[in-house]
Amino acid sequence: MRIPVERQPIKVYPDAKRVIARFFFNGEPRAKEVIERIMNLSEHEVFAIISPLLQEFSKRHRNITKILYRHCNKVKYIIEGLKIDFDEISTWRRLLLGSYFTHEYSIESAAFFNPSIVEDPDQSELEFGQKRIIISFRAVGEGHISSIAFRRAIIGKDNNIQVLPVGNYVDEAELIRNTTYEKELFFEKVVTARINQDIIKEVKDKTGDKFDYITLRNIILDLQDSQDDDKKRTEYEKILWLSDSYSNISFSLDTDISDRVIFPMSELERKGIEDARFVKFNDNGTIIYYATYTAFDGALIMPKLLQTTDFFNFKIRPLHGAGAKNKNLALFPRKINGDYAMLARIDGSNNYIMYSNNINLWENPQILQHPLHPWEFTQIGNCGSPLETEYGWLVITHGVGPMRRYSLGASLLKLDDPSVEIGRLKEPLLVANQDEREGYVPNVVYSCGGIVNNGKLILPYGLSDYSSSFATIDLNALLDKVRSDPKS
């Protein structure tokens, strides 16, 4: 008999009106043509075009002039290459130039799914039994590019969920280049990125044990200047792309959480950042929010770790080691026996566990779970960070069965030794019903992490890779059932 699951009468759908203004570039030859045409306009013609444009798009973006200035500056080198004095270009013409190198991108026009929940750092002004939460989503737009979007919600004392209205704008974070790289870890990741080994050695030989972005960029530019082969010049550039995988990003303090989107920022993320699994991590009383996610460039999968304390400022780093492969990494919410602990699915079909004293370095993954039941014969993986209970670590899992149907299950791991599986549900906890099975990928339910509140497991889940909903499950009933279905 399956555990009773109460589906909440609320769904979160993709909203095509949620747009950001991104840099638009079709290559230098076309850029030169556009710039020359704009420079041939009179100042009167320039103002007549840009003035109504600013009025229209200022209603859709928080600071459209700042964005247009920034995008104009991105093509400054082309403008100056045309023997145009950039400093002499008027304010209005710069804004117009920037507008031709800008386009709107609807971040969630295609899908809004695979949510995870964490407790909001701000729990003020709530009634007894309520909890304020932050929900992260995988937002997908044109070209199937994924980003991380957020919503704020309140769980009531009766465990009903109220997703709060979104803000009027969507903002990308500002990229801050102040990272110091550890030589050995950095070049370990360069090797996995399939870059020419001779090129790697050249760059590596010129760096110290630690170096920053500016130093790396200057080394690469010097090496590129001495290279006539365009393919090799691109190989140098790939190393610089990889450096963007180490970044600090910051959002304006006047943004609501729903205004903030973490959009791919490096070439190695150009096809998306997928399935963030957020966790509230307790480090001896210090609270840090972490999220593991997958960066994808169309060929290479790179697991990464995101860190924040306030959801305004984020630190992003790639994960290293033999265990930092494939997808489905999920961090435990505290250290176990003095080490960090992580779940992963590095071979595509089994669930692994690993430990480390360095949160960025993961070696020696050990198989924790392999598929046991028909609904998970194709693969088993986690659906977010384990939840600590008095009986053990509760892990919501996903299983893939016949017709590539994704179902959710549950397992229980030993508290002081989570490499030991105490029990696992023999039947799925949640399967897509008739109202949930249609979408971009049919017959899929999937989650990236739930939360416990007032004796209930609050489980957000994606519906067939299109939209999201929520389910509540009695925690004690679930734990009793998992414990009565011991691993066979």
Side-chain angles (χ1 to χ4, degrees):
M1 180 181 296
R2 290 180 183 164
I3 299 294
V5 175
E6 181 183 354
R7 286 172 162 86
Q8 293 272 342
I10 180 173
K11 288 184 171 59
V12 184
Y13 291 101
D15 182 355
K17 295 190 296 295
R18 308 286 288 166
V19 296
I20 55 178
R22 306 226 79 229
F23 182 60
F24 172 71
F25 192 68
N26 267 339
E28 288 194 21
R30 292 180 66 179
K32 289 177 181 178
E33 292 175 354
V34 170
I35 290 167
E36 287 174 334
R37 290 170 186 143
I38 296 169
M39 295 306 297
N40 284 329
L41 295 173
S42 69
E43 286 295 329
H44 177 77
E45 289 172 315
V46 166
F47 182 79
I49 299 169
I50 192 61
S51 180
L53 207 66
L54 292 176
Q55 292 180 44
E56 176 185 356
F57 284 91
S58 64
K59 299 180 179 67
R60 295 168 65 85
H61 303 280
R62 178 173 276 103
N63 194 336
I64 189 63
T65 55
K66 179 180 178 180
I67 295 168
L68 299 186
Y69 276 133
R70 183 170 67 241
H71 293 173
C72 178
N73 283 328
K74 281 180 174 286
V75 296
K76 179 180 178 181
Y77 73 100
I78 299 177
I79 295 171
E80 293 180 334
L82 293 170
K83 308 302 181 185
I84 298 168
D85 188 340
F86 188 82
D87 294 333
E88 292 298 316
I89 299 175
S90 69
T91 295
W92 299 113
R93 198 179 298 268
R94 288 191 196 191
L95 290 170
L96 186 60
L97 283 162
S99 73
Y100 278 89
F101 294 95
T102 303
H103 74 128
E104 287 191 326
Y105 184 87
S106 180
I107 60 169
E108 56 187 77
S109 58
F112 204 63
F113 61 114
N114 292 1
S116 77
I117 287 177
V118 286
E119 183 178 308
D120 194 314
D122 177 15
Q123 294 295 315
S124 63
E125 299 181 2
L126 293 176
E127 296 179 5
F128 179 78
Q130 290 184 324
K131 182 172 289 185
R132 186 176 289 112
I133 57 174
I134 292 174
I135 314 168
S136 68
F137 295 87
R138 179 177 170 185
V140 179
E142 178 189 359
H144 202 77
I145 298 173
S146 301
S147 56
I148 301 172
F150 301 97
R151 296 289 188 272
R152 182 172 273 118
I154 293 177
I155 306 175
K157 58 185 178 181
D158 55 1
N159 286 310
N160 287 330
I161 297 171
Q162 177 190 3
V163 179
L164 301 183
V166 299
N168 294 324
Y169 305 103
V170 184
D171 280 2
E172 290 185 80
E174 179 184 356
L175 178 62
I176 303 168
R177 298 190 186 278
N178 60 358
T179 303
T180 298
Y181 308 108
E182 298 281 347
K183 182 173 185 172
E184 292 307 315
L185 288 178
F186 180 84
F187 284 98
E188 174 194 290
K189 215 62 181 179
V190 172
V191 170
T192 64
R194 304 170 193 169
I195 298 172
N196 181 288
Q197 295 297 308
D198 293 335
I199 299 295
I200 293 173
K201 186 176 186 308
E202 273 190 89
V203 178
K204 187 175 182 180
D205 287 346
K206 291 183 176 294
T207 60
D209 291 339
K210 294 184 178 182
F211 54 93
D212 59 19
Y213 177 83
I214 298 300
T215 300
L216 179 65
R217 185 174 183 273
N218 289 337
I219 289 170
I220 288 173
L221 290 176
D222 287 344
L223 290 170
Q224 282 182 317
D225 286 343
S226 63
Q227 182 60 253
D228 295 327
D229 187 329
D230 286 342
K231 288 185 178 179
K232 287 188 176 180
R233 288 174 62 87
T234 301
E235 291 295 293
Y236 289 117
E237 193 72 20
K238 286 180 181 178
I239 297 177
L240 205 55
W241 294 343
L242 183 67
S243 71
D244 285 336
S245 296
Y246 303 74
S247 56
N248 294 338
I249 60 174
S250 180
F251 289 95
S252 172
L253 295 178
D254 64 352
T255 58
D256 181 70
I257 186 70
S258 66
D259 294 343
R260 302 169 214 156
V261 59
I262 300 177
F263 199 83
M265 288 192 171
S266 74
E267 187 67 18
L268 294 176
E269 295 178 341
R270 62 190 176 86
K271 286 297 183 180
I273 50 182
E274 304 177 358
D275 299 344
R277 287 159 158 77
F278 276 85
V279 61
K280 179 183 177 182
F281 189 89
N282 190 329
D283 189 2
N284 292 319
T286 299
I287 301 301
I288 303 171
Y289 292 89
Y290 289 108
T292 51
Y293 71 85
T294 304
F296 186 54
D297 71 352
L300 179 69
I301 292 171
M302 180 184 291
K304 299 180 77 170
L305 184 72
L306 181 153
Q307 172 184 336
T308 185
T309 58
D310 56 11
F311 287 86
F312 286 103
N313 303 289
F314 295 83
K315 179 179 179 180
I316 300 173
R317 300 291 183 269
L319 294 172
H320 304 272
K325 297 179 180 178
N326 214 301
K327 301 182 178 183
N328 265 211
L329 278 76
L331 186 68
F332 281 70
R334 64 171 173 84
K335 290 182 179 179
I336 299 170
N337 301 319
D339 285 330
Y340 298 100
M342 182 89 81
L343 298 179
R345 200 191 72 230
I346 64 173
D347 63 4
S349 60
N350 300 297
N351 222 354
Y352 285 72
I353 190 167
M354 48 196 173
Y355 304 92
S356 178
N357 60 12
N358 181 340
I359 199 169
N360 296 110
L361 180 61
W362 297 92
E363 302 285 5
N364 304 314
Q366 304 296 319
I367 287 184
L368 172 66
Q369 297 173 306
H370 61 269
L372 286 178
H373 309 302
W375 55 274
E376 60 186 16
F377 273 180
T378 299
Q379 75 182 44
I380 182 173
N382 69 75
C383 277
S385 295
L387 299 167
E388 187 168 5
T389 76
E390 61 178 310
Y391 297 110
W393 294 103
L394 177 63
V395 179
I396 303 303
T397 62
H398 71 266
V400 182
M403 301 298 294
R404 198 171 175 257
R405 181 167 62 183
Y406 277 67
S407 306
L408 301 188
S411 302
L412 196 65
L413 311 179
K414 192 175 179 181
L415 270 182
D416 60 352
D417 185 5
S419 63
V420 176
E421 185 180 18
I422 297 170
R424 188 191 313 185
L425 291 184
K426 293 181 180 178
E427 296 183 356
L429 178 65
L430 188 68
V431 178
N433 63 24
Q434 292 300 312
D435 295 328
E436 299 170 338
R437 66 181 304 179
E438 309 298 348
Y440 187 78
V441 181
N443 307 307
V444 171
V445 288
Y446 194 89
S447 179
C448 288
I451 197 170
V452 173
N453 188 64
N454 298 334
K456 300 282 188 178
L457 169 64
I458 312 298
L459 188 62
Y461 63 100
L463 310 175
S464 298
D465 284 13
Y466 174 65
S467 61
S468 296
S469 191
F470 304 86
T472 57
I473 302 107
D474 184 87
L475 182 62
N476 286 331
L478 176 57
L479 291 172
D480 287 345
K481 181 62 175 173
V482 177
R483 291 162 66 208
S484 70
D485 283 351
K487 176 186 173 185
S488 57

